[in-house]
């Protein structure tokens, strides 16, 4: 029997397919899975257009953080092509001035010395404190960042800084929408999850306990289980 879905997974800032490894390996019975490359463009709109150009006519899509911004833009650009939507550790707000300044500072930091210096500074905001020294989590994050590299990091930060506030657009999302977030996510805390849930006509919110901003990597079994339920 052929897979019932085509599932497109969208990584976050400085992430690649390794973020979604567990989900790719364990959801194959339900879906043909593609992990998109979000390293080539410097606007959310262009990222979405590139994903759509390579996508089948109909698909399910799940995006984490930056990938969640792109997933929301894909629904805006091609609502009739999306069967279901999962927004993982993300939000619908635009950056405020303080957030934009912090991103500009990180870009400047990335240009001084070795690029590897950025990720250790980011790490405490990305994962639950219990995983800061876990090579299966922190080590994978460092490896992904090195593969993505400095130039793509700058493009991604430019895209994030330039994104629109999409809160008003959520009311038009007509497909089943999963919000999945780490309970201890510092970057996309519960208040922004509840805000999105209130706007979504067909939204469901699931928290992953003892988890920060990278649920698919930090809590792979829980994340995969929730995505399996969402796909079915």
């Amino acid at each position: 029997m052929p897979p019932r879905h085509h599932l497109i997974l969208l990584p976050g800032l400085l992430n690649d397919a390794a973020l979604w490894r567990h989900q790719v390996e364990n959801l194959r019975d339900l879906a043909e899975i593609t992990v998109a490359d979000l390293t080539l463009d410097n606007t959310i709109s262009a990222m979405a257009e590139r994903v759509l150009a390579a996508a089948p006519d109909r698909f399910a899509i799940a995006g984490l953080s930056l990938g969640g911004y792109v997933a929301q833009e894909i629904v805006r650009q091609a609502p009739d092509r999306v069967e279901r939507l999962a927004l993982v550790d993300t939000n619908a707000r635009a950056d405020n001035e303080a957030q934009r300044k912090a991103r500009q500072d990180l870009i400047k930091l990335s240009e001084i010395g070795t690029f590897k210096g950025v990720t250790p500074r980011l790490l405490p905001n990305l994962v639950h404190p219990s995983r800061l020294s876990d090579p299966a989590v922190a080590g994978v994050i460092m490896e992904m960042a090195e593969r993505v590299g400095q130039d793509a990091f700058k493009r991604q930060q430019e895209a994030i800084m330039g994104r629109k506030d999409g809160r008003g657009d959520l009311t038009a999302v007509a497909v089943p929408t999963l919000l999945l977030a780490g309970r201890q996510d510092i970057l996309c805390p519960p208040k922004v999850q509840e805000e999105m849930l209130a706007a979504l006509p067909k939204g469901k919110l699931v928290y992953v306990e003892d988890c920060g901003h990278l649920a698919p990597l930090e809590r792979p079994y829980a994340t995969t289980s929730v995505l399996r339920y969402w796909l079915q």
Side-chain angles (χ1 to χ4, degrees), residues 123 131-145 217:
L123 203 56
R131 297 184 186 90
L132 286 172
S133 301
D134 182 354
V137 176
V140 172
I141 293 168
M142 301 285 282
E143 290 164 4
M144 287 193 295
L217 182 62

Side-chain angles (χ1 to χ4, degrees), residues 2-193:
R4 291 194 302 233
H5 300 285
H6 189 111
L7 173 59
I8 300 173
L9 299 173
L10 305 178
L13 173 71
L14 283 176
N15 301 155
D16 61 19
L19 173 77
W20 297 106
R21 184 172 294 144
H22 190 273
Q23 292 72 44
V24 170
E25 291 175 354
N26 290 281
L27 294 173
R28 287 174 177 159
D29 60 315
L30 291 181
E32 181 180 340
I33 302 174
T34 303
V35 181
D37 183 355
L38 301 183
T39 67
L40 303 173
D41 303 289
N42 66 352
T43 68
I44 299 298
S45 177
M47 291 176 180
E49 289 168 7
R50 188 182 295 274
V51 174
L52 282 166
D57 290 341
R58 296 275 291 168
F59 53 88
I61 193 158
L64 178 138
S65 195
L66 164 62
Y69 310 147
V70 177
Q72 292 171 68
E73 177 63 20
I74 285 170
V75 175
R76 286 191 286 266
Q77 290 187 16
D80 295 337
R81 294 177 64 185
V82 179
E83 294 178 339
R84 60 194 62 218
L85 172 67
L87 301 175
V88 183
D89 291 303
T90 191
N91 72 79
R93 298 181 179 190
D95 269 3
N96 58 37
E97 285 302 318
Q99 289 168 324
R100 276 191 285 270
K101 183 182 185 304
R103 294 189 193 282
Q104 289 164 348
D105 290 345
L106 283 170
I107 290 172
K108 290 175 184 174
L109 180 64
S110 76
E111 295 170 339
I112 301 170
T114 60
F115 174 67
K116 290 180 185 177
V118 173
T119 303
R121 180 169 169 174
L122 291 175
L123 203 56
N125 288 331
L126 293 177
V127 299
H128 190 273
S130 65
R131 297 184 186 90
L132 286 172
S133 301
D134 182 354
V137 176
V140 172
I141 293 168
M142 301 285 282
E143 290 164 4
M144 287 193 295
E146 190 167 353
R147 287 193 296 268
V148 171
Q150 178 180 353
D151 291 341
F153 171 73
K154 290 195 265 188
R155 285 192 291 271
Q156 289 180 333
Q157 289 284 32
E158 288 169 10
I160 294 169
M161 286 188 288
R163 76 186 188 279
K164 65 171 288 185
D165 189 309
R167 285 176 287 181
D169 297 325
L170 294 178
T171 59
V173 177
V175 297
T177 303
L178 167 68
L179 303 174
L180 189 152
R183 178 79 72 176
Q184 288 76 35
D185 188 343
I186 295 170
L187 299 176
C188 298
K191 67 178 181 180
V192 303
Q193 308 303 323

